[in-house]
């Protein structure tokens, strides 16, 4: 509960097994969230249309309309955060869920503390003030970030991104040509450090390159082996970027989108 006694957020749990979400519902209720359970993903969409839902948590497999279907359908009409729970720890399943629009993916069995931290992080990102447009010089032309449209524009070509892809490129853009370690990027995108050996960051870098790079061999994101990644910032080497005041390339704010 908040200090005034209101729930910390309204959460909808989707699980086709009526008893499947009882434990999770009890955990979230005890943590101060308002919880609604449903076995029908389409009913969840109806609840989301009321404007009184802050977060959806769904099982990966929920009958004819799967958790992935729910991700896709919800993203077509709303930006309400969605977390997928699954017993599968396969990287392909995680990436697929995130690509379909999920904001996070939690593998069962999970620790109660970790789940509550992830729920809080997703809701915190949702209520964070929307930044202005940003323009950053790069070796491939001007990079413009459009937070409202979740898109980037490079050398005049606009590309739509997923929320996670946008958070990744935003972190790199704000650092200019400065190297960001893998841990720094993981915190910027997921607000936590991923397990050792986890390749999700690399997968998202590859996806960004596929979407944003204008031609093969000309990459916006530079790999620094065994360390992390940096933006191909115009006229800025890693050493020069680190030596610049504050270690950042200059970023110019543009007027808000209309």
């Amino acid at each position: 509960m908040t200090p005034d006694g209101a729930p910390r957020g309204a959460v909808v749990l989707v699980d086709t097994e009526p008893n499947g979400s009882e434990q999770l519902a009890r955990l979230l209720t005890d943590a101060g969230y308002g919880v609604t359970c449903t076995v029908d993903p389409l009913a969840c969409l109806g609840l989301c249309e009321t404007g009184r839902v802050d977060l959806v948590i769904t099982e990966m497999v929920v009958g004819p309309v799967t958790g992935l279907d729910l991700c896709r359908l919800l993203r077509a009409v709303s930006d309400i955060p969605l977390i997928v729970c699954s017993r599968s720890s396969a990287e392909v399943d995680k990436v697929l869920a995130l690509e379909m629009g999920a904001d996070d993916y939690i593998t069962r069995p999970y620790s109660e503390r970790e789940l509550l931290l992830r729920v809080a992080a997703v809701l915190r990102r949702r209520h964070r003030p929307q930044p202005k447009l940003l323009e950053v010089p790069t070796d491939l032309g001007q990079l413009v970030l459009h937070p409202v449209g979740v898109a980037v524009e490079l050398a005049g070509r606009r590309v739509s991104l997923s929320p996670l892809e946008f958070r990744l490129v935003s972190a790199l853009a704000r650092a200019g040509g400065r190297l960001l370690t893998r841990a720094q990027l993981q915190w910027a995108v997921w607000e936590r450090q991923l397990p050792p050996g986890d390749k999700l960051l690399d997968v998202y870098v590859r996806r960004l390159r596929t979407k944003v790079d204008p031609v093969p061999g000309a990459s916006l994101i530079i790999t620094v082996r065994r360390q992390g990644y940096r933006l191909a910032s115009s006229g800025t080497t890693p050493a020069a970027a680190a030596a610049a005041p504050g270690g950042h390339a200059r970023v110019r704010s543009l007027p808000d989108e209309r």
Side-chain angles (χ1 to χ4, degrees):
M1 296 288 181
T2 60
D4 62 0
R8 298 175 60 184
V11 181
V12 176
L13 302 183
V14 185
D15 192 336
T16 50
E17 294 294 330
N19 299 325
S21 56
E22 281 187 2
Q23 182 179 356
L24 179 53
R26 190 160 48 247
L27 173 65
L28 291 170
T29 300
D30 290 345
Y33 295 96
V35 180
T36 301
C37 298
T38 179
V39 299
D40 183 359
L42 297 181
C44 170
L45 290 175
L47 291 170
C48 291
E49 290 175 356
T50 66
R52 296 192 293 270
V53 175
D54 296 302
L55 173 67
V56 173
I57 301 178
T58 181
E59 290 293 322
M60 177 72 103
V61 180
V62 286
V65 180
T66 68
L68 293 180
D69 291 330
L70 179 56
C71 289
R72 177 176 52 80
L73 293 169
L74 183 61
R75 281 296 158 265
V77 297
S78 173
D79 63 353
I80 293 173
L82 185 147
I83 296 175
V84 171
C85 288
S86 174
R87 295 191 181 279
S88 171
S89 60
E91 184 176 291
V92 63
D93 289 331
K94 294 181 183 179
V95 173
L96 183 58
L98 296 171
E99 176 59 25
M100 293 297 285
D103 292 84
D104 206 347
Y105 183 103
I106 299 177
T107 303
R108 291 181 180 273
Y110 47 75
S111 77
E112 294 183 351
R113 175 175 170 77
E114 180 184 6
L115 184 137
L116 290 175
L117 286 173
R118 293 211 201 176
V119 166
V122 167
L123 290 174
R124 187 165 57 247
R125 289 196 296 266
R126 173 172 171 77
H127 297 299
R128 187 171 293 159
Q130 195 69 260
K132 295 181 178 181
L133 287 173
L134 291 178
E135 186 179 60
V136 184
T138 78
D139 293 344
L140 305 182
Q142 290 296 105
L143 175 67
V144 181
L145 282 70
H146 299 265
V148 175
V150 194
V152 296
E153 186 177 331
L154 181 60
R157 184 175 68 97
R158 182 162 173 153
V159 180
S160 296
L161 302 177
S162 72
L164 287 175
E165 291 167 345
F166 188 81
R167 286 201 288 271
L168 175 56
V169 75
S170 295
L172 290 165
R174 291 177 184 279
R178 182 170 59 91
L179 166 70
L180 292 182
T181 65
R182 297 179 64 85
Q184 287 174 319
L185 288 169
Q186 288 168 5
W187 276 102
V189 177
W190 291 280
E191 296 192 3
R192 67 180 188 277
Q193 190 162 348
L194 301 178
D198 194 299
K199 298 297 184 182
L200 275 182
L201 177 60
D202 308 273
V203 170
Y204 273 88
V205 169
R206 287 199 300 270
R207 293 193 64 84
L208 268 175
R209 286 171 172 161
T210 300
K211 289 185 174 183
V212 177
D213 290 352
V215 294
S219 183
L220 177 68
I221 302 173
I222 306 300
T223 301
V224 181
R225 193 176 180 188
R226 295 195 180 94
Q227 296 184 58
Y229 298 95
R230 68 176 181 87
L231 198 70
S233 183
S234 184
T236 307
T237 64
H248 294 266
R250 183 174 64 87
V251 178
R252 182 166 70 90
S253 292
L254 300 174
D256 292 320
E257 289 181 294
R258 299 298 181 196

